[in-house]
Amino acid sequence: MTDGIWPALLGRFTWNALAFVRAWQNPTVNEIIGAGAAMMVVLGAASVITLITVTGKWGYLWREWLTSLDHKKIGVMYVVLAFVMLARALAEAVLMRMQQAAAVNAPGFVEPDHFAQLFSTHGSIMIFFMAMPFLTGIINYVTPLQIGARDVAFPLLNSISLWLTGGAAGLMMVSLVIGRFSTGGWTGYPPYTELAFSPDVGPDYWISAVTLGSIASTLSGLNFAVTIYKLRCPGMTLMRMPLFCWTTLCTSILMIFAMPPLTVATALLALDRYLGFHFFTNDLGGNMMNYANLFWLFGHPEVYILILPAFGAYSEVVSTFSSKELYGYTSLVLATMAIAVLSFTVWVHHFFAMGQSANLNAVFGIATMTIGVPTGVKIYDWIWTMFRGEVRFTVPMLYSLAFMMTFVLGGFTGILLAFPPLDYLVHNTLFLVAHFHNMLIPGLLYGMLAATHYWFPKAFGFRLNEKWGRIAFGCWVFGFYLAFMPLYVLGAGGAARRSQAFFEPAFRPWLYVAGVGALILLAALTALFVQLWVSIRERDANRVFAGDPWDGRGLEWSTSAPPPEYNYAVIPVVDGRDPFYDGKRDGDGYAVPAGYEDIAVPRNSMVGPATGILGAGLAFGLVWYIWWLAVLCLAGIVATVIARSFIRDVERIVPAADVARIEDRWHHAIAAARPISRHHETTPANQGLAEVTA
Amino acid sequence: MTAPQADPRREKRREIRTYAIGYALALALTGGAFAAVHWPRFPARTTLGLVFGLALVQMIVHLRCFLHVSLRRSSRDDLLLILFSTLIIILMVAGTIVIIANLHGRMM
Ligand code: HEM
Ligand SMILES: [Cu+2]
């Protein structure tokens, strides 16, 4: 082994970087847990690959999904990615809870360095690779359908976004097996993450993954905003859009303006680490406060990027399952816009304790509190929507109700934290951890789960199992309260966040309760997977091909379930806010058009997968200093983009005859279906045709 | 969103005229800025202000003549987006300057 060849080929990789080798050489519980996690990644990947190979589905997968530019399929793939990452991040959360419960005046079983990797990956994954893909997926699926469009404005860009996100998520998975992850938390604050203090590959993994993810999100934001501005169907003025589209629009605008500061911050940090710059170092003129500033310039709008789509989903769910028009539509729109603008005026509240003057903190504290106003408006609007409505407690509705109560509670603790003097006392404690989980679990996770349950029948043509849905719901809510309410107590009692061990015996009972809560949350996720399994097995009994299982209001319910690839055979024309609901009442909900025309849909493209895989390769090369790989992948990306620009034939025509066949089949199904009343919507009698009452 | 159907040939001529006017104005404004520096008439401060002023007018010319953003109804969306972007960028840049300056002051 000559000295020169291996470093040139493998960079700074050594066998010790493999989790398995580490566990072999040093078989402590800590290392074995690491190797076990790595084993799960390897086995998981291997079994998926084997399964696809054995069933001979590679061709199908490649043609129908991976290279597809159909916004619906891209949306579904995003959501699948989100669930995979949710499973990993939740497992890590449970491990952290177990460790803290075991480590009161004891070492526990996870060593400090490993524990730091756990909260860093948990936080980074939950935000960038669970929450963002989840909401991007739902937006992708729903928004074009709701505005009566056939696809997003830039279908290829959409696929590229998906694959960049996927590549970055893959990198997170690889970091479990090869090397180690950052210990700098999801915020990655320098100077700790600078070379001087963290010379290992960890922060480089974090930088690469987050940078790829943030670029992908910026592109998604641009795509959705243009889609909404340019592709609304005739008659769909902005003020006639479903509220989910409004939240999509505001979220996209937030993405466009909030993601670049993050990309810049991580890029500058990378310059520090790779090229010896001094943006954020302790010495030579570096200033880490500028990192904190840039990061939270992204970070605060980010929480509204996460929460607004859930607000949109709740608005749709509450209105549909109360059979009432959304109360206070205009105020909801204005509140959404107000939140979007205000979210750019409060970022200092994330570093109240980092040295600004009291006056500056006061300004940002007051600005923070004002966000409570538009949020309160929304809560009242939802309550008034339910008032005297025909409320049905379906699973999405249950999530909405749990959200309203829990989110308000989290909002109150947020108002508390907005007082700088109080923040000085509880910042960096578990109080803060309780607060933001109290916002994000109802305000993001419940919302996305409600959206999944609500739109699943549209996407796959059959309803999800109610019973398992309720079990999962119960576990998510009960588990949440058990897992996080104790953290308020612990935090107020001075328990620092990100602690691997505690030395205060009084913390013990609260940590036990939180641990039990975490296990119930794990059960909740398991119940969701069981629900999916059961629902797929019983799918034939629960089909809703006619397309309207909930007596829906927006355009998305006026297509078959699942919708044809071109969404609408004839682009709809709307004249109100609930076009389909009103259409059904006026008797022209399912009008058969006089004739059909050829429809152009985007052709598949392998540019998306290529950029995603090459992007991940580039990142991997940079992390390990494998320069040839990085250069090769970068060249590959450039070549892909150039090659793509020579492809002229980017559309495929669905001939009018095919359209007619597809549409006729659907119209026959509608004619054959029995309309059902709202009492029966969760029974197999529901074939997707709603009984029209006045 | 589309304007009432106009004669495409006339439409095209008008379009080209807008571009030509825009080009001339842009040239004049750029030349003006260079001239103000090359043949200084005023004190440095005033010249700087003049160049900034010309740059602002330049931006408006670009928006109006090249990007077709006007006060007309059909481009109202674009105008709102531009104003919103300006607002957010001002918030971010001004906020950053205030915060970093504040921290700097307290380090002195
Ligand atoms: C579903 C159940 C969840 C559980 C049991 C859980 C548990 C935890 C725990 C134990 C920590 C470490 C606390 C500490 O610093 O001592 C943590 C941190 C964190 N969690 Fe969660 N979490 C959950 C869901 C989520 C979700 C849905 C999100 C975001 C969408 C999220 C985002 C974060 C973030 C950003 C951190 C901070 C990481 C850091 O300190 O850098 N978590 N969570
Ligand atoms: Cu914030």
Side-chain angles (χ1 to χ4, degrees), chain A residues 643-665:
Chain A
R644 166 73 190 187
S645 65
F646 282 97
I647 298 179
R648 284 273 166 269
D649 183 19
V650 295
E651 282 185 340
R652 185 165 51 84
I653 300 297
V654 183
D658 287 1
V659 176
R661 201 152 25 75
I662 295 169
E663 295 296 310
D664 284 347
R665 187 169 100 96

Side-chain angles (χ1 to χ4, degrees), chain A residues 90 93 100 119 122 126 185-186 436-437 484 497-498 521:
Chain A
L90 185 58
Q100 288 188 339
F119 64 69
H122 166 83
M126 279 294 193
W186 87 281
F436 68 67
H437 285 87
F484 289 101
R497 73 188 282 202
R498 298 177 176 172
L521 288 171

Side-chain angles (χ1 to χ4, degrees), chain A residues 74 77 129 185 239 270 298 337 406 434 536 601 610 614 621 638-639 694:
Chain A
I74 290 180
M77 285 188 278
F129 303 113
M239 286 308 275
F298 142 78
M337 291 203 271
T406 317
I536 293 177
V601 294
L614 290 169
V638 175

Side-chain angles (χ1 to χ4, degrees), chain A residues 253 257 293 348 355-357, chain B residues 84-85 88 96 99 102-103 106:
Chain A
I253 292 175
F257 289 103
N293 176 66
V348 173
Q356 313 74 251
S357 69
Chain B
F84 178 80
S85 311
I88 298 295
T96 299
I99 291 162
N102 184 283
L103 285 161
R106 284 162 65 84

